[in-house]
Every structure is written in C-alpha cells, then in structure tokens.
Amino acid sequence: MKSFENTLTAQEPIKPLILGNPSFSSVTETISGICEKKETPIWWWIALGISGLLSLNLAAMIGYLVWEGTGIWGLNIPVSWGWAIVNFVFWVGIGHAGTLISAILFLMRQKWRTSINRFAEAMTIFAVLCAAIFPGIHVGRMWVMHWMFPLPNQMGLWVNFRSPLLWDVFAVGTYFTCSALFWYTGLIPDLATFRDRAKNRIKKTIFGVLSLGWRGGNKQWKHYELAYLLLAGISTPLVLSVHSVVSTDFAVSIIPGWHTTIFPPYFVAGAIFSGFAMVLTLSIIARAIFPQIKNFITMDHLGKIAKVILLTGTMVGYAYSMEFFIAWYSGNDYERFAFINRALGPFAWAYWIMITCNVLTPQIFWFKKLRSSIPVLFIASIIVNIGMWFERFVIVMTLHRDFLPSSWDYYTPTMFDIGIFVGSFGFFFFMFLLFLRFLPMISMTEIKGVLPQADPHHGGNSHE
Amino acid sequence: MKFNSESFVITDTGKILRLFLMVGVAGLLLSLVGIIFNPSAFFHSYLTSVIFWTSIGLGALFMVMLHYLVNAVWSVVIRRVLENILITLPVMGLLFIPVLFGIPYLYSWNDNYESPSHSENHAISIVSDAYAEETVIEDDSEHEDVGTHTDPHKELLEKKKAFLNTPFFIIRTIIYFLIWSLIAVRIYKNSLKQDRDGASDANDGAGLRISAPGMILFALTVSFAGFDWMMSLDPLWYSTIYGVYFFSGCIVSVMAFVSVFSTWLRGKNILADIISEEHYHTIGKLLFGFVIFWAYMAFSQYLLIWYANIPEETIWYHHRWVGGWKFISVLIAVAHFTIPFIFLMPKNMKRNPKILSFWAIWILVMHWVDLYWNIQPNLYPDGAGFSWMDVTSMIGIGSIFLYFFWKNLSKNPILTLKDRKLGKSVNYVN
C-alpha cells in the first residue's frame, strides 16, 4: 500500500453521515423509542384522521363506481383513457425512488442511503398498492378483474400476451413481490430487536413470528448479507424495467405524441424524479413529526436528494426537448401537430404547468443555499410531484384531438375523478403513518454499520 | 520508453511517438489513395473510423465531468489517463474536416448527393422500397397523375431543409467540437494547475464549475452529433432515443479503452501497485453496467419500432436485414450484449486485468461493428460489404489519436499526484 503526501489517507473520514456521534445503543433507543412510546405525537393523530377519512372516501367512491360504471368519470371519446391511467403511472413512478435507493445505491456503495432506504422502500410498497387500485377499477367490471391474469378457464380464453397492458400486470406484479421481499429481508434484524425489547407477550409473539427466529449469529449474518446483495441485484433491473414497460402502454401504439423511442428511459428518469420528490416530502414530514431522527436524516441527506431531483429533472427536460425537436424533424404533420397542440392547444395550461414544475423548478437546486432550506425543499418537492402528475396528464390528453377533427373533445374531470385520486393519497398517507408508528422507519442495523466505530480501522487500530 | 517511479513521468517516448505518427500518416495516405477509386467508400469508412475514435474521447470527457460532479474517489487513479484521452478531442475536430468535404458522398439530404450505388438516387430508393407495393398498385389502376405523387420523399426533405443543409451541418459540427474542446482544455488545464500549485478548494471548485454546465452542453451536443453524423445518413428516418444510443456507445468504449490501456501499463510495471484489482473490478462493473445500458437503448428503439410497424420507421431495420446485414444485426445483439453480459457477470472476470482486457477489446471491436452497422448500410444497400479503407482509416486515425494521447501523457505525471483524494483512491476497496 502506498501513501502520498498532501493527500487524505484511507482512514480519514470525509464527513460523518450520522450527526450527534451516537453510540450503538442510542441508535437503538432512538429508533425503537418512536414505536415503543405510549404517547403518540398529536400531529400523527390528526394526520391519520384526515388520511383515514380520505381512504374511506376512496372506498365509497370505488363502491359507487362499481355500482354505476366508469361513466361517472369524465371519460369520452376520443379521451377514453382518463385519470385512472394518469394516476396509475403517477403512483408506479413514485415507487421507483425507493427501489433505486435500496438497490442501485446499495450496489454503488452509497452509504448515505442507509438513513432513508427503509422508509423509501415502504413508500414504494404503498405507492405500488395505490397504483394497483387503478387498473383494477378502470376496467369497469371489477368482478372479472382476475381476467387480467393468464388463468386457465373452460372457455379457453387467454389474455393477449402481445398487449403491453398484460406486460404491466407482470411488471408491476414482479415489482411488488421483489420490493416487498427486499423490504422484509432488510427488516428482519430490526424486527428481532423489537422482539427482544418487547415488554408484553402479544408484542413478543408478533415480532417473534415476524423476525423468523433471527438470532444475529455469524452464519445468519452471512446468509443475510448474501440474500440482501442478491435481492439488490434482482431489484436493480426492476428499477428500469417496470417503468419502461409502463411507457410501452403508450409508446407501442401508433398515436402521434405517444409513439416515440425515447419513452422507456424518459419514463424511468421521470419516475425516479417524482419518487425522490416524494422521498423528500416524506422525510421532511417525518422529521417534523419525530424530531429525534434529525441526526439520522440530516440536511446533508436532504441536499443529496435535492441534487438527484436536479439531475433527473434536467433529464426529463432533455426528453421533452428531444421529443419536440424530433417531432419537427420527422416532417410528419401529425407528429408536429400533436406537439404544437400540446404547447398551444386547449391543454396548453397543463403543458406549461408541467414544464414549469418539472424543468424550471428543480433548477433552483443549483444553489446550495436553496438546497439547505427546509421550506424551499418542501415546497419544491410538492411542486415536482404536481408537475409529474401533470406530465402523465399531458401525455394521456394527447388523445383529445385525434385523426378525426369532428370527434375532438375536451376532458373535464368529475368529482369522482378527483375524489378517487385524492382518496388514493389518503390511503397512501394512512399506510405510511401506520408504518412510521409501528415499524422502525430507519434501519437500525444499517445505521450502525456506517457509524465510525463500526469501522475495524476505527481508533487508529489499523491492520495495514 | 522509461518510467520514473518518483515523478510518475513516462520518458523516452520518442520511439513510440514516431511509430504512431508514421503508421498514422501512412494509414491516412493509403486511405486517401482510395478516394480516387471509390470516394463514397472512402468517406463512409472514414466517417466510421473518425466517429469511433471521437466517441472514446467523448466518453472520457463524460467520465471526468462525472468524476467531479459526484466527487468520486476511486477514479482519481485513472483521472489523468482519462484526461489525456479527452484532450484528443480538439485533434479529432481537425480529423473530422475531411468528413465535411465528404458531405456530397455521405448525406443524401444534400442537393449534390452522389449516390454510392448504381441506382439513380439512393436517397430516394431507400424509402421507395417501403412504398414499392403501393406504387405498383397505383400503376395498375392507370393513374394519369402518378408522376406528381412519386416524390413524397423529396417533399419531406424539403420540410427538413432548415436543419438538414450543408452550411448549417458544418456550422453545427464546428460548434460541437468547439464546445467539447473548450470543456476539455479547461478541465485539462485545471488538472495541470493542480499538479503545479497543489490541491485547493479553488482548484476542486473550478473542476466542478466546468463540469456542471459542461454536462448539460455535453448531453445536447452529443445527442445532436448523433442525429447529424449518423441518423441523418437516412434523412427520412428518425428516432428520439438515437442521441442517447450514441452516448451509450461512447461510455462503453471509453471504459473498455481504459481497461486495456491500464492493463498494458501494468504489463510494463507502471502504476501496477496503484491501479489495483479493486479498480479493475470497478472499471469492469461500469463496463458491464454500460453494456447493459447500451442494450437497453438499442432494444427500446428496436422494440418500439418493430411493434408499431410503421413503414417509415421499420425501413431502417429493414435495410439492416438485407443480405449479410442480417448476420451483422444478429451479431450485434449476441456479441455486443449477450456474450459480454454473461461473461462479465462473474467477479473474477472483472478482477483479473488480463481477462478484463480481453472483454474490453471484444467490446471495442463490437463498438466499431455497431457504428459500421449504423453508418454503412447506405453504402452497401444490398448486403454487408467491407472495404480495405475501413482498415486503413481505422489504423490511420487511431494512430494519430494514440500519437496525441501519448504525446500529452508523457509530458506530465501519469497520476494526479496532488489530488487530495489520491491516497484514499489508491487504497480503495470495493
């Protein structure tokens, strides 16, 4: 091993990831304490109440939808795909940041991920659940929902394997399964900690079953690490594949404005963009409700998330401009019209909201000062999510002026469109708040691994 | 060639440099002979070769900018090598000049287009295939005014005139190289400044300040370079992902080049204890990752075009499914993706420099095949063809590239000795 003058040595820390120099036990105390405490912050109750009511509203509206049919939405011909697909793509997109943080950043040895990966993965799972509502209900006849799956039946009816909508079923199904497994595998050591700390029999039994007999022995850790690495490897292509498949819902068609080859990577960039914005929103909310985690999710973490938002936002901007340029370059009148209509037609307002929120807003993160201001971060993260919802809206609304001018129409959402979408937010936050209260929102084991005292070279005991 | 292990400078490179210069000039002169016999073939070969070597420089430019932006540690040990690759970009700009003279032989959007094949106008024939059936039907039904409809392609080209015209093409190419050279020179100078004055916050900050806007300019210029130089060879065809596809090839090729070059240095016992197995492992992982990234781009383009099955788009693949091109198309899918994907997966393939270099050379060859497959179907519409000028221009431009690469490399330490992260980088563990 060589050493050079004037340079950092291998042991010299750059910056601590976790502030406050906590000990191993204080990490456990702080994070478990949130779930073990008897009294719950009042804000948690208020938030849970509101989101619970919204979820109930969602259930009621879905009930009415099943009763009455999809006519209660603002659908028409030519806009035969409305908010349901917009919401589906929106929610699936949100999930991507969780998988990117847990899998890709793990493979890239980005240790700062340890503070946010647990709840980002939880976010993924809840977001995919929200997404799964929409394909289920948009078919109208919910009682034949199982027809989406290739189930053998007496009539010899099969799903169309050539349809990207079926690919969606597989892509999202795989995605949900892998994300849930990955999340759960990561949770096991922490669940065992909860089991060991449980004061009553019921808790001990529940956490005992959930932790699958984890003892923390050497062999168990070895298997655990391998399983974690493998799951990270398996989840990595999923970050790219799921939203690529979702993009094919549009891109394999021959509709101008939808059929364009950049869609797969463009959708993936957009998904990560919106997902990171949601991670930012949630971390700021979690920090506000539980101030004790501020040393784990530091300003440095939020700043890094902001940088990812800047990067992916700019990538999305690149995709918008490429689409526009190639539409002109193609010389195809329909292609050109689709884009001019987006920017100047009846839905121009939505297009410009999209550009402002997705391309212009993230540019504020060039400045360190704005990256380290909580209010700015919070507002920007929400603006980005609004923008990303509008991106999907703009894409779907391409339908409103089809090849036959006499059938051109406008899409006006009804209270059911809005109610179901808002309800899905209620459901998402309802689940998320429950998660914050009952499961460790930050991975205790992984945090301990990035503390300076976990390094075998810590304290000058170098083995070189 | 000698290596000073104290100052990390390679000296006595006169022999190598002379060799590269001689081979380079000879290669280029030989190719120039070909211009007399078959100018079209010359320009197509030359374009393929010059894009190949430029793409390595572009990849290096990207990697160094990325290095600054993400504050990377591991790549400090190869930063100087990468910087010496990217500083060849201004030279590549000069080597690109012949292409500008070849516009009439290469680009059918040009008014003075000289078709390489015997058919009257290849530009039109390319797309006419797609409409052939339609035309036959029209002939049968005794349409009198068929003549007025026969040139929808020229009409389309007319619509693109504002972009696809010779002066603007030349201006754009100059702009691309000016931007790349500007970023490259500034990055290089900043790095040498670090060697002289030592590392400082100002120096690191300068690297960051060049790279951040540089990255945005890079993304746009590389995409448009891909559109101009390669996509516009078939002026009626278009694909929004093409710029990213071209970019992915650049990254793949530079990672491959760096693995081969550092393994070669290792053989000469240069930096052998600095660029360790751990670094090869990381280079290998990036190579593996970007091979997948390339395949993702190539497949996205293919799947969407195949599925939608619109003639004006499928025609591009159709031309790559004629005669010998069919074999090349399959070869690219198998050898540019499947085989390296399988073999680069195991850890020991990446940690052994020699094995990694084998796959790196494999990938470099496939990168050339990819460019050839993108560029040359215009020249050989009836099936894959090959010209001796493909070899001479590759060797000629490659040697000139290596000449300047070596020349700069031997002027300064081969390692960024004053970088604050150097110690950390040398001891980097995966």
Side-chain angles (χ1 to χ4, degrees), chain A residues 137-165:
Chain A
I137 60 173
H138 97 289
V139 291
R141 280 171 275 184
M142 267 181 86
W143 51 94
V144 290
M145 208 163 67
H146 58 281
W147 283 8
M148 287 198 289
F149 299 93
L151 300 172
N153 58 70
Q154 293 144 310
M155 289 180 284
L157 283 173
W158 287 99
V159 285
N160 187 354
F161 284 97
R162 278 179 280 183
S163 163
L165 299 177

Coordinates of all heavy atoms in Angstrom, one line a residue, chain A residues 137-165:
Chain A
I137 N -59.8 -0.9 -11.1 CA -61.1 -0.3 -11.2 C -61.5 0.2 -12.5 O -62.6 0.4 -12.9 CB -61.3 0.8 -10.1 CG1 -60.3 1.9 -10.3 CG2 -61.2 0.2 -8.7 CD1 -60.6 3.1 -9.4
H138 N -60.5 0.5 -13.3 CA -60.8 1.2 -14.6 C -61.4 0.2 -15.6 O -62.0 0.7 -16.6 CB -59.6 1.9 -15.2 CG -58.9 1.1 -16.3 ND1 -58.2 0.0 -16.0 CD2 -58.8 1.3 -17.6 CE1 -57.7 -0.5 -17.1 NE2 -58.0 0.2 -18.1
V139 N -61.3 -1.1 -15.4 CA -62.0 -2.0 -16.3 C -63.5 -1.9 -16.2 O -64.2 -2.4 -17.0 CB -61.5 -3.4 -16.1 CG1 -60.1 -3.6 -16.5 CG2 -61.7 -3.9 -14.7
G140 N -64.0 -1.3 -15.1 CA -65.4 -1.1 -15.0 C -66.1 -2.3 -14.3 O -66.7 -2.2 -13.3
R141 N -65.8 -3.5 -14.9 CA -66.4 -4.7 -14.3 C -65.4 -5.3 -13.4 O -64.7 -6.2 -13.8 CB -66.9 -5.6 -15.4 CG -68.2 -5.2 -16.0 CD -68.6 -6.0 -17.2 NE -67.9 -5.5 -18.4 CZ -68.1 -5.9 -19.6 NH1 -68.8 -7.0 -19.8 NH2 -67.5 -5.4 -20.6
M142 N -65.4 -4.9 -12.1 CA -64.4 -5.3 -11.2 C -64.5 -6.8 -10.9 O -63.5 -7.4 -10.5 CB -64.5 -4.5 -9.9 CG -63.6 -3.3 -9.9 SD -63.8 -2.5 -8.3 CE -62.7 -3.4 -7.3
W143 N -65.7 -7.3 -11.1 CA -65.8 -8.8 -10.7 C -65.1 -9.7 -11.7 O -65.0 -10.9 -11.4 CB -67.3 -9.1 -10.5 CG -68.1 -8.7 -11.7 CD1 -68.4 -9.4 -12.8 CD2 -68.7 -7.4 -11.9 NE1 -69.2 -8.7 -13.7 CE2 -69.3 -7.4 -13.2 CE3 -68.7 -6.2 -11.2 CZ2 -70.0 -6.3 -13.7 CZ3 -69.4 -5.1 -11.8 CH2 -70.0 -5.2 -13.0
V144 N -64.7 -9.2 -12.8 CA -63.9 -10.0 -13.7 C -62.4 -9.5 -13.7 O -61.7 -9.7 -14.7 CB -64.5 -10.1 -15.1 CG1 -65.7 -10.9 -15.1 CG2 -64.7 -8.7 -15.7
M145 N -62.0 -8.9 -12.6 CA -60.6 -8.4 -12.6 C -59.6 -9.5 -12.8 O -58.5 -9.2 -13.3 CB -60.5 -7.7 -11.2 CG -59.5 -6.6 -11.2 SD -59.7 -5.6 -9.7 CE -59.2 -6.8 -8.5
H146 N -59.9 -10.7 -12.3 CA -58.9 -11.8 -12.4 C -58.7 -12.1 -13.9 O -57.7 -12.9 -14.2 CB -59.4 -13.0 -11.7 CG -60.8 -13.5 -12.1 ND1 -61.9 -12.9 -11.7 CD2 -61.1 -14.5 -12.9 CE1 -62.9 -13.5 -12.3 NE2 -62.4 -14.5 -13.0
W147 N -59.4 -11.6 -14.8 CA -59.2 -11.8 -16.2 C -57.9 -11.2 -16.7 O -57.4 -11.4 -17.8 CB -60.3 -11.4 -17.1 CG -61.5 -12.3 -17.0 CD1 -61.6 -13.4 -16.2 CD2 -62.7 -12.3 -17.8 NE1 -62.8 -14.0 -16.4 CE2 -63.5 -13.4 -17.4 CE3 -63.1 -11.4 -18.8 CZ2 -64.7 -13.6 -18.0 CZ3 -64.4 -11.7 -19.4 CH2 -65.1 -12.8 -19.0
M148 N -57.4 -10.3 -15.8 CA -56.1 -9.7 -16.2 C -54.9 -10.7 -16.1 O -53.9 -10.5 -16.7 CB -55.8 -8.5 -15.2 CG -56.6 -7.3 -15.5 SD -55.9 -5.8 -14.7 CE -56.1 -6.1 -13.0
F149 N -55.2 -11.8 -15.4 CA -54.1 -12.8 -15.2 C -54.4 -13.9 -16.1 O -55.5 -14.3 -16.4 CB -54.1 -13.3 -13.7 CG -53.8 -12.2 -12.8 CD1 -54.9 -11.5 -12.2 CD2 -52.5 -11.8 -12.5 CE1 -54.6 -10.4 -11.3 CE2 -52.3 -10.8 -11.6 CZ -53.3 -10.1 -11.0
P150 N -53.3 -14.6 -16.6 CA -53.5 -15.7 -17.5 C -53.9 -16.9 -16.8 O -53.1 -17.8 -16.5 CB -52.1 -15.9 -18.2 CG -51.2 -15.3 -17.2 CD -51.9 -14.2 -16.4
L151 N -55.2 -17.0 -16.4 CA -55.7 -18.1 -15.6 C -56.4 -19.1 -16.6 O -57.1 -18.7 -17.5 CB -56.8 -17.7 -14.6 CG -56.3 -16.7 -13.6 CD1 -57.4 -16.2 -12.8 CD2 -55.2 -17.3 -12.7
P152 N -56.1 -20.4 -16.4 CA -56.8 -21.4 -17.3 C -58.3 -21.3 -17.0 O -58.7 -21.2 -15.9 CB -56.2 -22.7 -16.8 CG -55.1 -22.4 -15.9 CD -55.3 -21.0 -15.4
N153 N -59.1 -21.5 -18.1 CA -60.5 -21.5 -17.9 C -61.2 -22.4 -18.9 O -60.6 -22.7 -20.0 CB -61.1 -20.1 -17.9 CG -60.8 -19.4 -19.2 OD1 -61.3 -19.7 -20.2 ND2 -59.9 -18.4 -19.2
Q154 N -62.5 -22.7 -18.6 CA -63.1 -23.7 -19.5 C -63.3 -23.2 -20.9 O -63.4 -23.9 -21.9 CB -64.5 -24.0 -18.9 CG -64.4 -24.8 -17.7 CD -65.5 -24.4 -16.7 OE1 -65.8 -23.2 -16.5 NE2 -66.3 -25.3 -16.2
M155 N -63.4 -21.8 -21.1 CA -63.7 -21.3 -22.4 C -62.5 -21.1 -23.2 O -62.5 -20.7 -24.4 CB -64.4 -20.0 -22.2 CG -65.9 -20.2 -21.8 SD -66.7 -18.6 -21.6 CE -66.0 -18.0 -20.1
G156 N -61.3 -21.5 -22.6 CA -60.1 -21.4 -23.4 C -59.7 -19.9 -23.7 O -59.1 -19.6 -24.7
L157 N -60.2 -19.0 -22.9 CA -59.9 -17.6 -23.1 C -58.5 -17.3 -22.4 O -58.3 -17.6 -21.3 CB -60.9 -16.7 -22.4 CG -62.3 -16.6 -23.1 CD1 -63.2 -15.8 -22.3 CD2 -62.1 -15.9 -24.4
W158 N -57.7 -16.6 -23.2 CA -56.4 -16.2 -22.7 C -56.2 -14.7 -22.8 O -56.8 -14.1 -23.7 CB -55.3 -16.9 -23.4 CG -55.2 -18.4 -23.0 CD1 -55.7 -19.4 -23.6 CD2 -54.6 -18.9 -21.8 NE1 -55.5 -20.6 -22.9 CE2 -54.8 -20.3 -21.8 CE3 -54.0 -18.3 -20.7 CZ2 -54.4 -21.1 -20.8 CZ3 -53.5 -19.1 -19.7 CH2 -53.8 -20.5 -19.7
V159 N -55.4 -14.2 -22.0 CA -55.0 -12.8 -22.1 C -54.2 -12.6 -23.3 O -53.6 -13.6 -23.8 CB -54.3 -12.3 -20.8 CG1 -55.2 -12.2 -19.7 CG2 -53.1 -13.3 -20.5
N160 N -54.1 -11.4 -23.8 CA -53.3 -11.1 -25.0 C -51.9 -10.8 -24.6 O -51.5 -9.7 -24.1 CB -53.9 -9.9 -25.7 CG -53.3 -9.7 -27.1 OD1 -52.3 -10.4 -27.4 ND2 -53.8 -8.8 -27.9
F161 N -51.0 -11.8 -24.9 CA -49.6 -11.6 -24.5 C -48.9 -10.6 -25.3 O -47.8 -10.1 -24.9 CB -48.9 -13.0 -24.6 CG -49.2 -13.9 -23.5 CD1 -50.2 -14.9 -23.7 CD2 -48.6 -13.8 -22.3 CE1 -50.5 -15.8 -22.6 CE2 -48.9 -14.7 -21.2 CZ -49.9 -15.7 -21.4
R162 N -49.5 -10.1 -26.3 CA -48.9 -9.1 -27.1 C -49.3 -7.7 -26.7 O -48.8 -6.7 -27.2 CB -49.2 -9.3 -28.6 CG -48.4 -10.3 -29.3 CD -48.8 -10.5 -30.7 NE -49.9 -11.3 -30.8 CZ -50.5 -11.7 -32.0 NH1 -50.0 -11.3 -33.1 NH2 -51.5 -12.5 -32.0
S163 N -50.1 -7.7 -25.6 CA -50.6 -6.3 -25.2 C -49.7 -5.8 -24.0 O -49.4 -6.5 -23.1 CB -52.0 -6.4 -24.7 OG -52.3 -5.3 -23.9
P164 N -49.2 -4.6 -24.2 CA -48.4 -4.0 -23.1 C -49.2 -3.9 -21.8 O -48.5 -3.9 -20.7 CB -48.0 -2.6 -23.6 CG -48.9 -2.3 -24.7 CD -49.4 -3.6 -25.3
L165 N -50.5 -3.9 -21.9 CA -51.3 -3.9 -20.6 C -51.1 -5.2 -19.8 O -51.0 -5.1 -18.6 CB -52.7 -3.6 -20.9 CG -53.0 -2.3 -21.6 CD1 -54.5 -2.2 -22.0 CD2 -52.5 -1.1 -20.8

